[in-house]
Amino acid sequence: MKKVVIIGGGFAGINAARNLGNKEGFDVTLIDRRNHHLFQPLLYQVAMAGLSPADIAAPIRTILKKYKNIKVVMDYAKKIDPEDKKVICKAGEYDFDLLIMACGARHSYFGHNEWEKYAPGLKTINQATEIRRRVFMAFEKAEKTENDLEMSKHLTFVIVGAGPTGVELAGAIGEMNRYTLGDEFSQLDVSKTRVLLIEAGPRILAAFDEDQSQRAQSDLVKLGVDVRLGQAVTHIDDQCVKLGDETIQTSTVLWAAGVEASRLGKSLPVELDRAGRVPIEEDLSMKQFPYIFVAGDQANFTGKDGRPLPGMAPVAMQQGRYLAKLLVAREKGKDIGGFKYVDKGKMATIGRSSAIAQAGKIKLEGFIAWLAWLFIHILYLSGFKNRFFVFVQWTWSYLSFHRGARLIIGKKWRFYSDDD
Amino acid sequence: MKKVVIIGGGFAGINAARNLGNKEGFDVTLIDRRNHHLFQPLLYQVAMAGLSPADIAAPIRTILKKYKNIKVVMDYAKKIDPEDKKVICKAGEYDFDLLIMACGARHSYFGHNEWEKYAPGLKTINQATEIRRRVFMAFEKAEKTENDLEMSKHLTFVIVGAGPTGVELAGAIGEMNRYTLGDEFSQLDVSKTRVLLIEAGPRILAAFDEDQSQRAQSDLVKLGVDVRLGQAVTHIDDQCVKLGDETIQTSTVLWAAGVEASRLGKSLPVELDRAGRVPIEEDLSMKQFPYIFVAGDQANFTGKDGRPLPGMAPVAMQQGRYLAKLLVAREKGKDIGGFKYVDKGKMATIGRSSAIAQAGKIKLEGFIAWLAWLFIHILYLSGFKNRFFVFVQWTWSYLSFHRGARLIIGKKWRFYSDDD
């Protein structure tokens, strides 16, 4: 019986676990510090009040309950002891014969961690509901104030980083401002809202071809988004963002500019890459420790073009599935060769009826691309229930222009003394 | 043009506003410190992970957007100046000709406010998600510990107060333990779970007839709930609850024992009743200030039996509607007489397929009562969208035994330094 420990219930970890589920000869423990698997590609919908957290997340226990050889533990992995083959967690220690590390990534502020409290990133449900609270509170505050400068500060939204998440956030705020909020804030002139998307590189969505970037940018501009290219943020606080000499007064800054891999990698005696990822071999194992595998955003796997594969859900899912197959094959004395990423294409959405998609030589734009995006995201949502609800909810939102989950909920649970 | 200010977007406030909407001669401002109207009778479903917050709450602006004479303000009312006809809020002051106070109620710990942090009540979405977090974390902790005493503490749930909310919470935990969690916590013996429902009075659901209380109690016992009658809690901390000489070791205590009206009533120069409610006349106005009306849980209105009407949604809804009609009639020089409560009956639910209902001489129990309960609650949910979603969600939960919203989400938004 091989003891397999998987750290992380994201796309890589869940897919590895599922494919080891009920396989003879394996005793699997999945450790995550949260109780739920999160469908991260739709997290911006929670931040923008289109979906509720439970629509895109499911308890890991529920997902894996049919596999009798898998134990799910909610615990916080602090350290790995690769020699003694042990994972040291907050509540206990877990021995392994084989380890799969799939702890994902979090935001990186490029040495400016002090920016985080002014400019939250979007990786967890807590962050998504915090962003939701900030964005909708800004509109509430703008309506109440009689000071023009204050109002313009509350109505200025700055998004840093124009990858898929930044574009989605900017598009959603622009769209909401244009189509939903005007009717409801009777005292507010929503035409005064400014949405700025700041990108240090020469174009948005740099992973796509240039014509598709162009199209996405012009769709954003139609939604009223001010796209700033080739400009780097030099300062952020609770009043403003600075871009070189220019100061933008704002009360809402969102960060979508960079990620770094989970800290757990640092507990290994290897040199990590600049983004904190663990370098791995063709079979996703570590050179020094062939019984430790790394998958997903935490892994640095060199792709066909000589560059590391990007931190995307399809890579993580394929790596998770590959690892399970590899272990099962090896247990039978077989080999399945190294991991090969099958690029099925990529897509990004800008707003209602607007997206770009690219698969091999096929490129889609506009409504068709958006339909494809919708279809694929619903298809991949884990578990039928969520898939169905998200579908119904989106159909409804599309027809009605509503954002159903537009609740502003306090930062923390309030005690009697604060509350009334 | 009469300036009407409504404080509170609960059942009373929303119903008053809707019925004053687009009525000539009225300029209405609704003030609430939250941005959403909450369907409180289903809040326990959020706490027990059956529904998401957005399923039972909707932005007040959305509900009222079609009424051009209504302005919605998110602000915190601190004081009322009844002579100068002003509401003093955190962000601004609001003048009125007519004032409707409908600020609701919150939990009362009978002089033991220090119990609150160990035993949260269930009045707001934040409290519901905190209760959800505590209940599901208790199961997670129970599974991880190897100490039997610790485990039994984590698997003991104490609910104080056996009114409708207490019964709903106890029933839901009992049911979940029995039907949902057993499969998923492979290391846990869920038969060790204890759910205690503590009631100081002689029976549960005292507002119902005795035979119905009996039936509800026996349904609870079938779900494994230990019902303790005639026992008062004398101490609560993070380790235990004391009932006289008996000490119950527990890590989860929920409070459903008593309420008191909003503090805002204290800023008025009148004597409040013991529960902090404002005494009112037949037309819901205050004797000293006939232009100030009070409705819902904050009002002490004497019913036909000589006792104050209970703090229930139907009373608040009827009072809100009545006030709007009264003001419209008076504006036309007419009178519609005093408020009369139409008692359409009451109901309480214990769990899946189990409820009690009473309307005049008709009494229902079991599955039929539960269907009636489901039907009426869906019917009353504000706005078609929520109604429809809740219906779909419940049908699904009923068929699948799932609890879709079983996410454990941190107490607060975490900063970079705490996270990962």
Side-chain angles (χ1 to χ4, degrees), chain A residues 83-105:
Chain A
E83 315 283 354
D84 277 358
K85 299 186 183 175
K86 242 186 227 176
V87 179
I88 294 121
C89 295
K90 217 169 155 189
E93 295 189 2
Y94 304 86
D95 294 329
F96 60 81
D97 300 313
L98 299 163
L99 175 67
I100 298 177
M101 277 179 74
C103 309

Side-chain angles (χ1 to χ4, degrees), chain B residues 220-233:
Chain B
L220 279 175
V221 170
K222 276 181 209 151
L223 289 171
V225 177
D226 181 357
V227 180
R228 304 287 193 91
L229 301 174
Q231 299 192 4
V233 168

Side-chain angles (χ1 to χ4, degrees), chain B residues 60 91-92 105 178 210 239 245 344 358:
Chain B
I60 296 171
R178 180 153 299 185
E210 202 154 338
Q239 301 291 325
D245 291 342
K344 292 183 186 160
Q358 202 171 325

